[in-house]
């Protein structure tokens, strides 16, 4: 069994094993002609249940054959140009290489004595990101597992910085279109059920600052404490960007912590043409960025950044076995002092490899291309009488709904759209997402693949219309 341990004696086994795996994946990528096979839960479950985990195959090739059957053949492939569903990007090769390196070396970024250069590389990338945002000289941050954790940590810091005699008085303001992790964080932080105050959005799905001002006034008047405003720079559904400068003004006036959730919009930090869309982000107290969304990085790669490094102390605990207090005076850099996690992956290496091979402009160019594609897609949808499209894209999503000429019942239109999404998924021809707008079912394209073309978009719109019409035809038959 020792031959499976990765060490000086097994370097050749490691090379062969990993190369074989890489070969399989490369072959898969080269021959995948659809984003999905349409496999069902019922079809796949017995195949996976049939594997006896107490009877190992022993041999890498046999296991890779088996993996083809239980996973690779029917996986959902984000690199395919007709995968248009969630905020998953195709990944860049330098980052995948970084992934291979970081898992083999297996540094853990909690302490210097488990990572050495890894810690310094992560710190450089944090500094690089805070400089891109413009958070100033005292900024800091740490890599996290994702936007959800980044938002949680930011709100933890905001809670600790808020001046209140009771957590029950704390209020968090965020738009109706913000991410659900804001509410989840409030719950985890022991804030009350009413602690998150939803702020209405305008026609473009951006937070209405007049309404925000009104709610902040009300909060003060009621003797409550405005703990934080969470502005979104790129809402998950619409890519809409809240008016950051105005929100920042209000935060300053009412003494509220400004958190900017740029999990999606962070790609603009590298943009060559659209950086101005997130003007005002530099005034945040904390920022969430998900490199695994708009920097073309593999899951996970994310960070939380703060304007004032000292606020990260709210996440600091000293353990004698790991990061004793004396190490702070000895200036030993232990990233665990800033993190909610302890053992932590060296995800930063992926971004490092990306920046060193491609440069930030390379990433920004790819992100600009998907924003342009969304603008083209919007024109197609706006000119297409079969579809109602909600707003012009703020980044790279399109939310729309099939509207048949002959049907007026909104519930029937809902069902036709739901059916079309399901039928498309089952066909594997394309994968799209869905959401609700004004209580009605809509479909969503999240465009993060520069290889997707307007022809792909047009073709998928035809497929959706075909499925929806089929549903409505059958529905008529059922009725008669
Ligand atoms: C995706 C997303 C999140 C959550 O990020 P994860 O990396 O999935 O945890 C938070 N906020 C916004 C706006 C998002 O789009």
């Amino acid at each position: 069994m020792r031959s499976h341990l990765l060490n000086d004696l097994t370097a050749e086994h490691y090379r062969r094993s990993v190369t074989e795996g890489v070969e399989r994946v490369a072959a898969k990528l080269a021959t995948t002609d659809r984003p999905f096979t349409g496999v069902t839960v019922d079809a796949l479950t017995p195949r996976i249940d049939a594997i006896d985990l107490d009877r190992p195959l022993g041999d890498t090739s046999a296991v890779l054959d088996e993996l083809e059957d239980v996973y690779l053949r029917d996986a959902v492939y984000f690199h395919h140009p007709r995968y248009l569903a969630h905020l998953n990007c195709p990944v860049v090769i330098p980052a995948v290489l970084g992934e291979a390196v970081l898992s083999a070396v297996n540094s853990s970024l909690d302490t210097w004595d488990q990572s050495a250069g890894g810690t310094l590389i992560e710190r450089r990338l944090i500094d690089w990101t805070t400089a891109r945002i413009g958070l100033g000289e005292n900024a800091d941050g740490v890599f996290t597992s994702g936007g959800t954790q980044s938002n949680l940590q930011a709100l933890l810091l905001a809670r600790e910085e808020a001046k209140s005699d009771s957590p029950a008085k704390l209020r968090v303001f965020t738009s109706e279109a913000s991410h659900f992790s804001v509410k989840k964080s409030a719950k985890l932080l022991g804030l009350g059920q009413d602690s998150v105050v939803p702020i209405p959005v305008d026609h473009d799905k951006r937070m209405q600052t007049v309404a925000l001002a009104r709610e902040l006034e009300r909060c003060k008047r009621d003797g409550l404490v405005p703990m934080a405003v969470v502005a979104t720079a790129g809402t998950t559904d619409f890519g809409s960007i809240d008016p950051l400068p105005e929100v920042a003004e209000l935060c300053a006036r009412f003494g509220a912590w400004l958190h900017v959730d740029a999990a999606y919009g962070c790609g603009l930090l590298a943009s060559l043409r659209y950086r101005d869309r997130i003007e005002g982000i530099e005034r945040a107290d904390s920022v969430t960025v998900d490199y695994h969304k708009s920097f073309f990085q593999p899951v996970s790669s994310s960070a939380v950044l703060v304007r004032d490094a000292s606020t990260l102390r709210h996440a600091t605990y000293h353990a004698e076995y790991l990061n004793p207090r004396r190490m702070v005076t000895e200036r030993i850099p232990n990233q665990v002092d800033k993190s909610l996690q302890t053992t932590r992956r060296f995800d930063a290496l992926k971004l490092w490899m990306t920046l060193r091979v491609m440069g930030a402009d390379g990433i920004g160019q790819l992100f600009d291309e998907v924003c342009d594609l969304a603008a083209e897609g919007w024109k197609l949808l706006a000119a297409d009488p079969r579809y109602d499209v909600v707003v012009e894209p703020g980044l790279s999503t399109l939310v729309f709904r099939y509207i048949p000429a002959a049907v007026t019942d909104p519930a029937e239109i809902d069902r036709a759209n739901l059916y079309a999404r399901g039928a498309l998924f089952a066909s594997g021809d394309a994968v799209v997402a869905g959401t609700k707008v004004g209580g009605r079912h809509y479909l969503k394209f999240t465009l993060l693949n520069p290889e997707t073309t307007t022809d792909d978009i047009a073709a998928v719109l035809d497929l959706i219309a075909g499925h929806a019409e089929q549903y409505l035809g059958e529905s008529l038959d059922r009725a008669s």
Side-chain angles (χ1 to χ4, degrees), residues 87 145-151 177-181 232-237 261-265 288 290 292-293 301-302:
L87 272 165
S145 62
T148 302
Q149 193 191 14
S150 295
N151 285 349
S178 75
H179 194 262
F180 70 90
S181 56
T232 312
T235 57
T236 314
D237 274 346
D261 178 356
Y264 175 18
T288 288
D290 260 359
H292 62 219
K293 283 182 178 162
S301 181
S302 181

Side-chain angles (χ1 to χ4, degrees), residues 283-425:
R283 296 180 64 181
D285 294 294
S286 55
V287 177
T288 288
V289 300
D290 260 359
Y291 308 105
H292 62 219
K293 283 182 178 162
S294 47
F295 271 69
F296 304 92
Q297 299 294 294
V299 177
S300 301
S301 181
S302 181
V304 62
L305 298 317
V306 296
R307 160 179 305 287
D308 175 0
S310 76
T311 58
L312 289 170
R313 74 185 181 284
H314 299 305
T316 309
Y317 286 84
H318 291 288
E320 281 308 322
Y321 83 90
L322 189 69
N323 60 333
R325 197 176 296 275
R326 66 174 165 76
M327 287 187 174
V328 178
T329 37
E330 289 166 12
R331 298 172 52 115
I332 295 170
N334 290 328
Q335 294 291 83
V336 70
D337 295 354
K338 308 171 187 178
S339 174
L340 299 186
Q341 291 166 270
T342 306
T343 305
R344 192 161 54 81
R345 289 164 53 84
F346 182 22
D347 286 317
L349 182 62
K350 297 179 281 193
L351 180 60
W352 179 269
M353 297 294 282
T354 303
L355 293 181
R356 296 310 296 141
V357 175
M358 300 170 59
D361 287 357
I363 290 295
Q365 193 181 327
L366 294 178
F367 191 63
D368 285 353
E369 282 176 32
V370 294
C371 291
D372 292 340
L373 177 67
E376 289 301 314
W378 184 81
K379 282 186 209 154
L380 279 184
L381 276 161
D384 191 333
R386 298 172 299 175
Y387 288 99
D388 169 39
V389 57
V390 182
V391 289
E392 268 193 74
L395 294 172
S396 68
T397 62
L398 293 164
V399 180
F400 58 93
R401 162 179 169 91
Y402 178 75
I403 37 162
V407 182
T408 50
D409 174 13
E412 181 71 347
I413 301 176
D414 276 351
R415 286 190 290 272
N417 280 278
L418 282 174
Y419 176 87
R421 180 185 174 194
L424 192 64
F425 189 65

Side-chain angles (χ1 to χ4, degrees), residues 370-480:
V370 294
C371 291
D372 292 340
L373 177 67
E376 289 301 314
W378 184 81
K379 282 186 209 154
L380 279 184
L381 276 161
D384 191 333
R386 298 172 299 175
Y387 288 99
D388 169 39
V389 57
V390 182
V391 289
E392 268 193 74
L395 294 172
S396 68
T397 62
L398 293 164
V399 180
F400 58 93
R401 162 179 169 91
Y402 178 75
I403 37 162
V407 182
T408 50
D409 174 13
E412 181 71 347
I413 301 176
D414 276 351
R415 286 190 290 272
N417 280 278
L418 282 174
Y419 176 87
R421 180 185 174 194
L424 192 64
F425 189 65
S427 75
D429 292 331
V431 186
V432 306
T435 190
K436 271 192 169 180
V437 183
R440 307 262 58 118
H441 286 284
Y442 277 72
L443 302 173
K444 178 167 81 161
F445 290 161
T446 306
L447 304 171
L448 282 177
N449 191 345
E451 295 293 344
T452 302
T453 62
T454 47
D455 285 348
D456 286 312
I457 293 177
V460 175
L461 289 175
D462 286 345
L463 289 171
I464 292 169
H467 289 301
E469 276 153 25
Q470 189 195 349
Y471 171 84
L472 292 166
E474 285 170 8
S475 178
L476 271 182
D477 291 346
R478 278 194 296 275
S480 60

Side-chain angles (χ1 to χ4, degrees), residues 63-125:
V63 172
L64 284 169
D65 289 343
E66 180 183 270
L67 195 67
E68 170 70 17
D69 203 39
V70 295
Y71 176 59
L72 289 174
R73 182 185 311 132
D74 296 298
V76 177
Y77 285 102
F78 300 157
H79 74 279
H80 195 280
R82 293 197 182 176
Y83 177 84
L84 310 171
H86 301 286
L87 272 165
N88 313 110
C89 48
V91 294
V92 291
I93 294 167
V96 177
L97 171 58
E99 186 79 67
V101 173
L102 75 93
S103 59
V105 180
N106 197 30
S107 298
S108 180
L109 275 264
D110 36 344
T111 55
W112 165 256
D113 73 356
Q114 299 175 75
S115 59
T119 287
L120 303 181
I121 285 176
E122 170 165 308
R123 288 186 160 211
R124 276 296 302 278
L125 289 167

Side-chain angles (χ1 to χ4, degrees), residues 6-87:
L6 178 54
N7 58 35
D8 54 340
L9 303 175
T10 57
E12 189 48 38
H13 177 195
Y14 158 68
R15 182 181 292 120
R16 261 188 288 111
S17 238
V18 173
T19 305
E20 195 178 347
V22 169
E23 294 290 358
R24 301 276 185 126
V25 176
K28 196 86 225 160
L29 293 172
T31 55
T32 299
D33 60 356
R34 289 183 299 169
F36 185 45
T37 59
V39 73
T40 61
V41 180
D42 287 345
L44 199 49
T45 304
R47 274 195 259 152
I48 289 171
D49 286 351
I51 306 287
D52 185 347
L53 291 175
D54 293 318
R55 284 168 166 268
L57 299 176
D59 165 67
T60 308
S61 304
V63 172
L64 284 169
D65 289 343
E66 180 183 270
L67 195 67
E68 170 70 17
D69 203 39
V70 295
Y71 176 59
L72 289 174
R73 182 185 311 132
D74 296 298
V76 177
Y77 285 102
F78 300 157
H79 74 279
H80 195 280
R82 293 197 182 176
Y83 177 84
L84 310 171
H86 301 286
L87 272 165

